Amino acid sequence: MTSILAVASYLPPRSVAVADHLAELGIEVDAGLYQQYYGFGRIRRDPPGNLAEQLVAAGRRLDRLATDAPRVRYLVHAPTIQHTAPYPHTPLWQARAELGLHQALPFTLSQHACASALLAIDTCGRLLAADGDPDALALLLTGEKTFTGVAQFIADSAVLGEGVAAVLIGPGGDRDRVLSYATRTLGEFHEAPELSPRLQEEFQGRYTEVLAEVILAATRQAGLTTADITLVLPHNVNRISWWRVLTRAGLPKSRLFLDNQAELGHCFGADPFLGYQAALASGRLRPGDHYVLTAAGLGATLAATVVRH
């Protein structure tokens, strides 16, 4: 049984208003639409620099990593964008060295875009189970720098910010036990975000239906019903689209936790874990509660993971 043993994060201290950010990018859209209806208010951004600095900062916020570092067998980065730094920089290898994880095998999973972090949890769980060492651990790092305009804005979907989550994963434990993982890839939309108008319309029509199906599939796989789900912790995109997904899945809107969206924007694969931290801090999760981590990656992969707190 895979467990999420601890979650930490790094958020840049600089906060930028979405209206100012869009103006800086030269994007001519109604900022009010993104604020009042889509749910975006501000984002976080560091000055130009090395992604490794953010990965290391998040890892060092895991209090137990100082003592558990020798047990970490796998170090995984799950970014949305395949090219996370200019050649020849390798942020994950730098993070491995600075975090003292010299014995850990480093690798990256990116083909599921913003859903890659959920794939990484499942992959790490399978690897740890196959190893058979109850003391072995995996460390997942997810999030990235927003180098270009393409990585900072997706029309009618999201305004993207910077933020990294560090997730310590183990093969056992009583806290935050992973009960299921469901995923589905709609490969016909692989050219996103550069879809033709016809394909964009088709994707918008299928997105709600398929993501709701994936959430329900993960719920059933966990042996639960929607009545058992306390919270849905999603990636922070257009909140109207999330309301439609929950309605389709038969979940009340009150189960959706988007409290971070207005202040952080969409932080790629880190969103569900940043949401987890915020939900804990606000008292929205109690022992025994079931929650769903869910995300949709451009290209298009939709995923959901059910966890018992």
Side-chain angles (χ1 to χ4, degrees), residues 7-11 51 54-56 58-59 75-81 84 92 107-110 112-121 139-145 161-169 235 266-274 277 293 295:
V7 177
S9 60
Y10 167 76
L11 294 170
L51 172 64
Q54 295 186 348
L55 300 179
V56 170
L75 175 63
V76 188
H77 184 208
T80 292
I81 302 169
T84 57
L92 188 60
F107 63 93
T108 296
L109 292 172
S110 65
H112 286 192
C114 287
S116 294
L118 301 185
L119 170 66
I121 290 178
L139 176 59
L140 163 64
L141 302 173
T142 182
E144 53 216 281
K145 292 285 293 180
E162 296 182 2
V164 173
V167 185
L168 196 63
I169 301 166
H235 68 320
H266 174 24
C267 296
F268 301 90
D271 281 344
F273 306 101
L274 299 176
Q277 286 187 293
L293 305 170

Side-chain angles (χ1 to χ4, degrees), residues 6 19 25 51 61 63 74 100 166 185 196 225 229 250 252 260 265 290 300:
L25 292 174
L51 172 64
R61 282 168 169 75
D63 294 335
Y74 303 102
T185 297
S196 67
T225 68
I229 301 301
N260 285 335
H290 298 98

Side-chain angles (χ1 to χ4, degrees), residues 289-301:
D289 284 349
H290 298 98
Y291 59 92
V292 178
L293 305 170
T294 183
L298 290 175
T301 297

Side-chain angles (χ1 to χ4, degrees), residues 154-167:
I154 303 173
D156 297 319
S157 177
V159 183
L160 296 103
E162 296 182 2
V164 173
V167 185

Side-chain angles (χ1 to χ4, degrees), residues 35-272:
Q35 294 171 322
Q36 298 176 30
Y37 293 96
Y38 295 168
F40 298 97
R42 308 186 71 85
I43 59 160
R44 300 287 187 93
R45 289 195 70 193
D46 265 339
N50 193 333
L51 172 64
E53 297 170 357
Q54 295 186 348
L55 300 179
V56 170
R60 285 178 174 164
R61 282 168 169 75
L62 286 169
D63 294 335
R64 57 182 292 175
L65 190 62
T67 55
D68 286 342
R71 298 170 55 194
V72 177
R73 185 163 296 175
Y74 303 102
L75 175 63
V76 188
H77 184 208
T80 292
I81 302 169
Q82 295 182 45
H83 303 290
T84 57
Y87 177 84
H89 300 291
T90 53
L92 188 60
W93 281 89
Q94 184 179 337
R96 176 178 179 259
E98 294 191 28
L99 292 172
L101 304 176
H102 306 291
Q103 75 295 330
L105 173 67
F107 63 93
T108 296
L109 292 172
S110 65
Q111 290 298 319
H112 286 192
C114 287
S116 294
L118 301 185
L119 170 66
I121 290 178
D122 182 68
T123 301
C124 288
R126 291 174 183 270
L127 289 170
L128 292 170
D131 290 342
D133 181 354
D135 293 323
L137 302 171
L139 176 59
L140 163 64
L141 302 173
T142 182
E144 53 216 281
K145 292 285 293 180
T146 53
F147 287 110
T148 66
V150 173
Q152 297 175 38
F153 175 77
I154 303 173
D156 297 319
S157 177
V159 183
L160 296 103
E162 296 182 2
V164 173
V167 185
L168 196 63
I169 301 166
D174 297 326
R175 176 183 173 182
D176 293 298
R177 303 184 74 174
V178 178
L179 303 182
S180 65
Y181 168 66
T183 183
R184 185 172 172 190
T185 297
L186 305 175
E188 60 269 36
F189 305 113
H190 67 93
E191 293 180 336
E194 305 299 331
L195 294 175
S196 67
R198 180 186 64 80
L199 282 177
Q200 182 63 37
E201 182 178 358
E202 183 179 344
F203 176 70
Q204 292 299 329
R206 297 190 62 192
Y207 173 87
T208 299
E209 174 188 357
V210 176
L211 186 50
E213 289 175 355
V214 168
I215 292 172
L216 291 174
T219 302
R220 290 192 298 269
Q221 186 179 328
L224 305 172
T225 68
T226 53
D228 300 311
I229 301 301
T230 300
L231 285 181
V232 176
L233 305 177
H235 68 320
N236 296 341
V237 296
N238 180 343
R239 65 184 175 192
I240 295 175
S241 69
W242 274 117
W243 292 341
R244 292 169 179 163
V245 170
L246 261 67
T247 298
R248 181 84 183 201
L251 284 158
K253 293 178 183 177
S254 59
R255 308 277 177 86
L256 182 67
F257 191 88
L258 274 175
D259 292 29
N260 285 335
Q261 185 185 23
E263 291 299 318
L264 303 182
H266 174 24
C267 296
F268 301 90
D271 281 344

